[in-house]
């Protein structure tokens, strides 16, 4: 899975990327234009930590997701449009995280996060609409493709009404398969990331932006990119103290990464033993038996019979000095985390 960080210049998008990945990609207006940065991050998981401690494992492996800092779109309004190179890079992503500016610029320009979010979404709608119109023009010259034409007409009507394709409710699995090759931007899962100043790190998102995200079915995370980049460089104990001083329970980057992971409709299937504790990414809704079979094929290990239990059950085993280890070394991760966690 590859998740793209997208947005207009000046939003701190690359700073957020550096905070997540620990890399040092060039930031600011002097950074190389058109350059896409790539990085892989581990998904924080307290359950993996607990199982690793319980089994005293030699190796701990977290789930991973790839982030792509997509080259910034041109600054400006919806009329200017996203350039073709940016659009092409965005279409290669499995999901999108739109970084929105929530801090005041050095020039004194105040942020307008709701307007910025809507402008970018409109640009994606227009891009998909143009793609559909071009295809419909070609279909008029072809015969025997009435089904495709009818489907695209439905999608065209939705986009003309300002509705992103992810909100079209009557798309069947067959329909989704038929249009998968178009890689429509508004069909991709979308997470809004409000990049704020240090002073606003612990504050909730503005109500109008939160309402927009909720009504549009979008995820929303608030973080202070510059601060998170500094936190990532700190030692563990120093990190805890600094995060607490900001009024946060944990670095916001961790919440963002988990929200982005959930955005791809993935959960973690956990395996644990003395050799390794590992989180395996699986599709939400996959049964424990199917997940175990897939892992067995990947790792070339002997097959096993998975069992599942609530996280609170096995965590209490680890809390008791003489507690027996769980009856099975294989766990199906149960999570209530959703992309809308803030």
């Amino acid at each position: 899975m590859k998740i793209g960080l997208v947005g207009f210049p000046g939003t701190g998008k690359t700073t957020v990327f550096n905070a997540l990945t620990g890399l040092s990609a060039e930031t600011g207006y002097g950074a190389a234009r058109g350059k896409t940065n790539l990085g892989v991050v581990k998904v924080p998981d307290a359950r993996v930590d607990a199982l690793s401690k319980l089994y005293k494992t030699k190796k701990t492996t977290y789930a991973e997701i790839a982030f792509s800092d997509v080259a910034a779109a041109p600054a400006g309004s919806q009329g200017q449009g996203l350039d073709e190179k940016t659009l092409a890079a965005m279409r290669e992503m499995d999901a999108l995280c739109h970084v929105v500016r929530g801090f005041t610029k050095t020039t004194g320009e105040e942020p307008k996060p709701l307007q910025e979010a809507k402008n970018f979404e409109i640009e994606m709608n227009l891009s998909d609409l143009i793609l559909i119109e071009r295809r419909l023009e070609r279909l008029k010259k072809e015969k025997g493709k009435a089904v495709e034409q009818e489907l695209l007409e439905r999608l065209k009507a939705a986009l003309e009404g300002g509705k992103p394709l992810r909100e079209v409710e009557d798309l069947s699995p067959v329909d989704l398969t038929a249009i998968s090759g178009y890689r429509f931007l508004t069909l991709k899962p979308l997470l809004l990331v409000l990049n704020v100043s240090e002073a606003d790190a612990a504050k909730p998102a503005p109500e109008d932006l939160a309402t927009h995200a909720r009504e549009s079915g979008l995820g929303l995370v608030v973080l202070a990119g510059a601060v998170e980049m500094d936190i990532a460089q700190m030692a563990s104990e120093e990190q805890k103290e600094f995060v607490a001083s900001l009024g946060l329970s944990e670095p916001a980057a961790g919440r963002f990464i988990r929200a982005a992971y959930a955005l791809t409709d993935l959960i973690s299937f956990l395996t644990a033993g003395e050799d390794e504790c590992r989180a395996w990414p699986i599709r939400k809704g996959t049964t424990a038996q199917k997940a175990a079979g897939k892992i067995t094929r990947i790792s070339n290990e002997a097959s096993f019979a998975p069992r599942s239990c609530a996280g609170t059950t096995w965590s209490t085993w680890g809390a008791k000095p003489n507690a027996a280890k769980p009856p099975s070394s294989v766990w199906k991760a149960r999570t209530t985390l959703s992309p809308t966690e803030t």
Side-chain angles (χ1 to χ4, degrees):
M1 282 290 173
K2 187 181 293 185
I3 298 177
L5 293 179
V6 299
F8 294 117
T11 60
K13 177 173 61 66
T14 302
T15 299
V16 172
F17 172 81
N18 287 340
L20 296 174
T21 62
L23 299 177
S24 300
E26 189 178 0
T27 62
Y29 287 97
R33 289 296 177 203
K35 180 181 179 181
T36 295
N37 303 301
L38 302 173
V40 177
V41 301
K42 299 182 186 302
V43 180
D45 195 327
R47 301 162 303 176
V48 174
D49 297 332
L51 281 172
S52 184
K53 182 179 179 181
L54 182 62
Y55 279 94
K56 296 181 175 61
T57 55
K58 299 175 184 176
K59 181 181 178 182
T60 301
T61 304
Y62 297 89
E64 294 181 338
I65 47 178
F67 279 100
S68 176
D69 175 25
V70 178
S77 66
Q78 63 197 50
Q80 185 172 352
L82 300 177
D83 64 278
E84 289 299 325
K85 187 173 183 179
T86 299
L87 291 170
M90 289 170 61
R91 293 193 190 284
E92 293 298 321
M93 302 298 117
D94 298 299
L96 300 172
C97 291
H98 178 200
V99 180
V100 180
R101 181 171 66 90
F103 55 87
T104 302
K105 287 186 175 181
T106 54
T107 59
E109 182 182 345
E110 294 292 327
K112 299 177 181 178
L114 179 60
Q115 179 181 325
E116 186 177 309
K118 286 186 174 181
N119 283 349
F120 202 86
E121 290 164 23
I122 288 172
E123 292 293 352
M124 291 193 293
N125 275 32
L126 288 174
S127 175
D128 284 350
L129 183 58
I130 291 172
L131 190 61
I132 288 176
E133 289 177 340
R134 288 174 179 171
R135 177 57 181 163
L136 286 173
E137 281 297 318
R138 290 195 293 270
L139 286 175
K140 290 179 181 179
K141 303 175 183 179
E142 301 176 14
K143 295 182 179 180
K145 295 188 176 182
V147 174
E148 181 184 359
Q149 184 170 344
E150 187 275 333
L151 175 57
L152 291 180
E153 290 286 1
R154 284 165 51 203
L155 301 183
K156 179 174 179 286
L159 291 170
E160 288 176 333
K163 178 184 290 189
L165 300 184
R166 75 179 70 87
E167 294 183 14
V168 178
E169 298 177 352
D170 58 346
L171 291 178
S172 68
V174 174
D175 292 334
L176 292 173
T177 298
I179 62 177
S180 61
Y182 292 106
R183 299 176 297 176
F184 290 124
L185 296 178
T186 62
L187 197 59
K188 298 180 185 296
L190 180 65
L191 174 70
L192 294 179
V193 184
L194 183 64
N195 186 17
V196 300
S197 64
E198 179 178 342
D200 296 329
K203 294 181 181 179
E207 184 55 37
D208 59 352
L209 184 65
T211 299
H212 170 68
R214 184 169 55 252
E215 292 179 348
S216 302
L218 305 179
L220 174 60
V221 172
V222 179
L223 57 76
V227 176
E228 292 293 327
M229 190 163 61
D230 290 338
I231 291 174
Q233 306 298 323
M234 296 178 182
S236 181
E237 287 305 315
E238 183 183 2
Q239 192 178 92
K240 291 178 181 178
E241 293 178 6
F242 186 72
V243 168
S245 72
L246 294 174
L248 301 172
S249 58
E250 65 169 331
R255 290 188 289 108
F256 174 31
I257 293 170
R258 289 196 300 271
Y261 186 60
L263 189 68
T264 61
D265 204 31
L266 295 174
I267 61 172
S268 291
F269 184 90
L270 309 182
T271 59
E274 294 181 357
D275 289 333
E276 182 183 25
C277 176
R278 181 165 181 169
W280 303 78
I282 60 171
R283 286 288 183 188
K284 189 180 296 182
T286 303
T287 64
Q289 286 75 18
K290 287 185 178 180
K294 180 178 179 180
I295 292 168
T296 299
R297 290 193 298 274
I298 293 174
S299 61
N300 293 319
E301 295 176 355
S303 61
F304 47 77
R307 299 193 183 105
S308 65
C309 72
T312 51
T313 302
W314 52 256
S315 64
T316 56
W317 280 322
K320 299 177 182 178
N322 298 318
K325 289 182 180 178
S328 172
S329 62
V330 183
W331 304 94
K332 180 175 183 293
R334 293 182 177 180
T335 177
T336 56
L337 177 69
S338 71
T340 56
E341 181 187 11
T342 56

